Amino acid sequence: MFARLFCWTVATAVMTAPALAEDGYDLWLRHEKVRDGGNLARHAAAVVAPGRSATALAARDELMRGLAGANGAAPALVEKPMNGAIWLATPASAPDLPVKLDGLGEEGYAIRSVTLDGQSVTVIAANGDAGLLYGAYAYLRLAETGASLDRLDIRSAPRMKLRLLNHWDNLDGTVERGYAGQSIWDWWRLPDWKGPRYTDYARANASIGINGTVLNNVNARSDSLTAPYIAKAAALADVFRPYGIKVYLSVKWTAPMELSGLRTADPLDPAVAAWWKAKAAEIYRAIPDFGGFLVKANSEGQPGPQDYKRTHADGANMLAAAVKPHGGIVMWRAFVYAHDNPDDRAKQAYSDFKPLDGQFADNVLVQVKNGAIDFQPREPFHPLFGAMPRTPLMMEFQITKEYLGQSTHLTYLGPLFEETLKSDTFARGKGSTVARVIDGSLEGHKLTGIAGVANIGADRDWSGSIFNQADWYAFGRLAWDPDLSAEAIAREWAAQTFSTDAKVVDPIVAMMMGSREAAVDYMTPLGLSHVMGTGHHYGPAPWISELARPEWNPVYYHKADAQGIGFDRTKTGSNAIAQYAPPVAKMLADPKKTPERDLLWFHHVGWDAKLKSGDTLWNGLIRHYDAGVAYVAAMRRTWDGLRPHVDAERFAQTQAFLGIQHREAKWWRDASIAYFQTLSKRPMPPGTAAPEHDLNWYKSLAFPYAPGNP
Ligand code: GCV
C-alpha cells in the first residue's frame, strides 16, 4: 500500500533518518514476510484465477498482493492448476470443481488441499465471487498466523446476512463520537474525487467479512437524500461494489417535509408514502444494489411516527414498502427513551417494541444496542433479545469507544462483544444465546444482521490508535462467526499486525484480554454505569445532578446515598428484571445470585454488605478501582518490554497512549472515590491511597473541546 511507497521516498531522501515504516495505515493487511520454513512457498508458488468479474479480479489481486508480501516473492499467475498452485474457482469458472459447495451460500467458501493428476493444489472455492474474496483473505490469514497449509479442509459461511458498519459521520466532516479525526468521506469533493483511501477501506472491511456500510449519522440530515448527495453515495458504492460492500443511508423522518414541503410526515398519509417510494426509486436508479435505510426515530429529539400517534411498526413498514420492490431492507433502531416517560430508562425500549412483535414487514430488522442503556463499559444484555421471536433483531455494538476511553485507552472490545453474544436469554430454554437470537437460528429467521458503530476516521491509522484497530477487526470476525473467541481473534490480529513471534503475540494478547475488564474496574465497577462527564462522556462526573432531564444525570444511574449505591431494578424498584425470561429474572431478583459484575445495575446495596471476596461493598469498590489502575500500570511495563520487537513508530504511540491511560485511570479512581466517600462516609481500606485531590478539584475540570461531542 502507499504507506510503503511513502516510506521508501522518505528513506531515500534522508538515508540516516529512521524509517517511518509503520504508521498503522496498513492495518492487519501488512503482509509481512512470514518465517514458516517454506510452508507458504510450497503451497503458493502460483495462482490460477479464471474469474473475470470485478469481485473475482479483486479476489485474485488481493491474493497476489498478500502472497507477494507474505512469501517474499510474487506468485506466478498461471492458466491451469499445477503443483503448488492456489486455484480460485467457482462452479461458473470450473464446472468440474473437486470441492462440494452445498450449504455455503453466496458468500461462504471452502479451502481444500487436493491432488489433481498427481499435483498438489489448494482450491479456494465458492458459489459466488464474494465467497472467493472471503476465501482469499482467509487463506492469507491462515498463512500469516502460522497455520500449517498442508492438509487444508475448511468450510466457512457467515452466520449473519448483514454485517454492517454504521458511520455516525456528518455531512460537515465531523464524526459524532469519532475519535480518529474527521470523517473519511470527503463529501465536498465527491463524487468527482474518489481518493485511494476508499478502496483501502473496502479492502480492510472485506478482509474481515463486512458487507455493508451506513454512510451517515443516525442523527441524520435530510440533505443526504438530495440528488447531489445521492450521487456522492453512488460514487462510494461504485468503489465498494467489487469488495462485496453495499451502501445504506440513515434517513431523517421529516425529510419529505424538509425537502419537498409536505405538510406532514405521518407514515399513514398516502402522500408521505408516495414521497418515500419515489425517493427510493431515485436512489435505486443511482445505486442499483443500494442496501436500504437505517432509522433513528422518536429518540433523543429525532422526529418519528409517534409524533403522529403512529407506532414504530407503522413507520418502519411504510419505509419498507418503499424499498421492497428493489430488494432493500429497513433497519429500525430500538434505542428509544423519552423525556416525558418517568419509567426507568432501561425499560423503555422493551416497553415500546415488545408489543409490536409480529407487526413488522418481512424486510424490516429492529436494531437493538447490546445493552438497555447506552454502550457502557459493561451492560447486561438487552432484554429485547429473546423477547421478540417474530421479529428479526439486529445487534448494534459500538466499536468507537465513546464510553471506554475514547481514542487513547487500550481497552480491547473483543471480550465485551463475546460476553454479550454468549449471554443466555433463556427465551427457549437454556442455550438461547444472544448470538442465536441474532443469527436467526433460534426462531428460524432468514434476514439477520449485526452492526458496529465505526471507529474509523481520517487519522493515518484509521482508528485513532493502533490497538483500536483490533476492535474493528474483532467486530468483523464476530459478525462472520459469533462463536469465535475474543482471545483467538486477538491472536490473529496481533500476529498480522505485529509479528507471529510468540514473544510478541503472547504478551500483547495477554494485555488485550484483561484490558476491558480493567476499564470496567477503574470506571464503573460492580455494575455501575453512565457516570461519565456530560456531553463529551470523557472522564468521571458521578456528582452531576442538575441537568434538566433526570436520565441525563449520573446520579440517576448510581443512586448513591448514605445507605448504599446501585439502581434497584427488582420488584421493590423499577422491576426492569421482569423484562427478562423467568429463569434470568429469578436469578437477578436475588442480589446473592446476581453476577457480582452486574450487582449495582440491578440492586441498591448497602455500603457494608458483604461481597464474595468477604470485603464490604465500600472496600470492594475501592479494590476494583485499584485493580483497574494496577492493570494499566502492568500493561505499561509489558509494553516497555516489547520495545526491541516493535517498530519505533507504533511502539512510541502505544507507549504514550498507555501513559495517558494510566493517568486517566487514576483520575477516574480518585474522582469517583472522592465523590462516593462524601456519601458513604466510610474510611479508605487499610493500605489504599486516598484520592490525590479533594472533590472540588475534580469537579472543577472542564473539557469544552473534547472530541466527538455533537
Ligand atoms: C448518534 C448515545 C450517544 C449519541 C448517539 C446515540 C444513539 O446517546 O451519546 O451520540 O447519537 O447514543 O445511539 O443514537
Side-chain angles (χ1 to χ4, degrees), residues 168 176-177 179 217-220 296 299-300 302 333 335 337 345 369 373-375 396 398 402-403 453 530 535-537 708-710:
W168 286 356
E176 183 157 348
R177 310 309 176 184
Y179 310 103
N217 193 350
V218 287
N219 289 329
K296 172 175 177 177
S299 167
E300 297 188 329
Q302 290 298 321
R333 294 177 88 226
F335 177 69
Y337 60 100
R345 172 176 169 186
K369 288 190 181 182
I373 298 290
D374 192 16
F375 301 136
E396 180 175 316
Q398 193 180 43
E402 175 178 355
Y403 296 102
V453 179
H530 225 308
H536 49 65
H537 297 157
N709 189 13

